Amino acid sequence: MTDIQCRQFMKDFFERYYQKLGNIGVMRPLDEADRAMWSDDADPNEEWKVWKLIPSTATEQDVENLEKTIGTKLPQCLKAFLTVYHHYFETPVGENPISAPFEAVLDAWNPLLVKHGYLPFTWDEEGYYIRCIDLTNMPDEEQCGIYQIDHEILFSLDEEITQKEELAQNMEYLSHNLFTYLESILNGEE
């Protein structure tokens, strides 16, 4: 997929998912830091507000800084995912609000996963799973599967001695790539 196609896919995904959830599905406790994301009819006196998608303000420099922070390059599909819209989706998508761009990636980041080629992009805190892109087949992003690992299993592994094979045995396959993963969410398969 070209960069333009990738960005269009992500834009379409977010808009379709937002529509699918409806107003009740996109109510969150939002404070002043994310006021730009409040729906136009949000009551400032209410804690829970319907939020809206807004175009991301993240820059290429912001992405480069994130890559330095997490110690790996982002695949183009994840860059598009993170820089098309600011959003407040919960799991299995993850949050990316104005007040904390890249929040889901930073919350899920783990050095052992990154060391062995798994790039965490969201943490399903209710289900206890950290979701990752397997970077083994880069630069062919469409061949980079999506996996998850129970955080309790992950946190029980010793970062210094755990080999990739042991980590891989604890990873659960979810989808062929980020695109099919997101489509499965839209189709209610997630």
Side-chain angles (χ1 to χ4, degrees):
M1 234 184 244
T2 67
D3 181 53
I4 292 171
Q5 291 170 321
C6 189
R7 293 183 68 74
Q8 187 61 51
F9 176 93
M10 295 304 171
K11 185 177 184 299
D12 292 344
F13 164 76
F14 286 122
E15 291 169 2
R16 290 170 50 204
Y17 193 49
Y18 187 89
Q19 287 300 112
K20 179 181 178 175
L21 293 178
N23 278 353
I24 299 299
V26 294
M27 284 193 83
R28 299 292 299 277
L30 302 176
D31 59 26
E32 193 66 35
D34 289 310
R35 185 180 191 100
M37 294 181 72
W38 296 1
S39 67
D40 295 336
D41 59 349
D43 181 345
N45 298 316
E46 293 292 325
E47 179 184 11
W48 286 76
K49 300 169 186 70
V50 172
W51 58 270
K52 62 185 176 185
L53 293 166
I54 63 169
S56 177
T57 57
T59 66
E60 188 62 36
Q61 184 62 52
D62 294 331
V63 171
E64 289 175 17
N65 291 341
L66 173 65
E67 291 173 332
K68 287 177 188 170
T69 299
I70 65 173
T72 192
K73 292 283 187 189
L74 300 181
Q76 187 57 43
C77 60
L78 190 57
K79 284 182 189 179
F81 179 80
L82 295 171
T83 61
V84 168
Y85 279 121
H86 286 292
H87 56 84
Y88 253 113
F89 292 117
E90 295 183 272
T91 57
V93 176
E95 298 177 352
N96 188 21
I98 291 173
S99 62
F102 316 130
E103 181 174 324
V105 171
L106 292 169
D107 283 349
W109 183 86
N110 179 277
L112 179 61
L113 290 169
V114 173
K115 175 181 172 181
H116 292 303
Y118 293 100
L119 176 56
F121 65 94
T122 191
W123 186 348
D124 176 0
E125 293 180 29
E126 291 175 15
Y128 306 104
Y129 292 100
I130 296 176
R131 308 267 166 90
C132 306
I133 300 172
D134 181 358
L135 301 177
T136 303
N137 292 320
M138 282 299 288
D140 188 356
E141 295 181 25
E142 293 185 41
Q143 298 301 315
C144 291
I146 304 300
Y147 290 81
Q148 69 181 12
I149 186 169
D150 183 308
H151 77 279
E152 289 184 12
I153 292 172
L154 175 63
F155 297 160
S156 72
L157 299 173
D158 186 324
E159 184 183 335
E160 299 300 317
I161 62 172
T162 300
Q163 298 298 307
K164 182 170 183 152
E165 297 75 27
E166 181 182 359
L167 181 61
Q169 290 172 359
N170 290 291
M171 301 298 289
E172 178 186 347
Y173 175 81
L174 294 178
S175 192
H176 189 67
N177 58 43
L178 186 59
F179 306 110
T180 58
Y181 171 78
L182 296 174
E183 281 295 329
S184 73
I185 292 169
L186 282 173
N187 295 330
E189 299 165 19
E190 168 45 44

